[in-house]
Amino acid sequence: DSPAFYAAAAMANHGPSYGLDAELAAKRAAKYDKGLEQEVQQWVKGVTGVDIPNPEEDLKSGIVLCDLLNKIKPGTVGKINRGRMPFLLMENINAFLLGCKALGVPDTDLFMTVDLFEAKNMNQVIQCIHALGRHSRKVAGFSGPYIGPKLADSREVNFTEEQLRQGANVLPLQTSGSHGNANAKGMFDNSREIVKGPGRRH
């Protein structure tokens, strides 16, 4: 391997975190859901046939994730980098994220490349894969296995002209007097005077 590879690898591994980074890492570790991780491990194996006993290391190259996408919808990731150069592996992770988005995974469920490549936030990585598993139910031609609860179908609601007119005539609670039309003066101090010292009012 070239010196550039080792230099890039050294940059990617920042070693132990200190200060605020350490505090954030501890918080993330505290809310890490082992049960969700196990569901994801079983699902990934069910779809790809690949064991990922250590997701942090086993998913870092992005190769398993890209294979996972292509099993759900063939051709989602056109080119999977199988080399070991860090920038190639990060390209795989990015391709996975773009593929997730294309299959309907919301932005809020996605992670950043460094969350996986530098193991900055494995909790978010696991959540993203779980979200992909839920959304895979809606992918035509994919017969499972699936993971998580079935997503509700979005229904279009159509109102009649009459219903829309009736809705326009309903006053919000606040405008019709939410205090039974009580006089606010008797309930609140409406004085706008500012006292700036003994006996001085402005």
Side-chain angles (χ1 to χ4, degrees), residues 171-184 187-188:
L171 288 172
L173 200 56
Q174 284 292 343
T175 58
S176 61
S178 54
H179 298 292
N181 290 327
N183 187 335
M187 300 168 67
F188 305 104

Side-chain angles (χ1 to χ4, degrees), residues 14-33 56 114-115 118-124:
H14 296 307
S17 300
Y18 299 99
L20 186 61
D21 275 353
E23 200 176 306
L24 291 171
K27 279 183 182 172
R28 280 194 292 266
K31 70 174 189 175
Y32 192 75
D33 189 335
E56 192 176 307
V114 292
D115 289 341
E118 298 181 15
K120 291 267 188 191
N121 191 351
M122 287 304 295
N123 204 39
Q124 190 64 33

Side-chain angles (χ1 to χ4, degrees), residues 72-73 136-142:
I72 295 168
K73 187 175 183 185
S136 68
R137 291 177 188 273
K138 294 190 169 189
V139 177
F142 180 61

Side-chain angles (χ1 to χ4, degrees), residues 42-58:
Q42 288 165 4
W43 180 65
V44 170
K45 185 176 183 183
V47 175
T48 65
V50 178
D51 258 322
I52 53 164
N54 181 1
E56 192 176 307
E57 283 304 315
D58 300 330

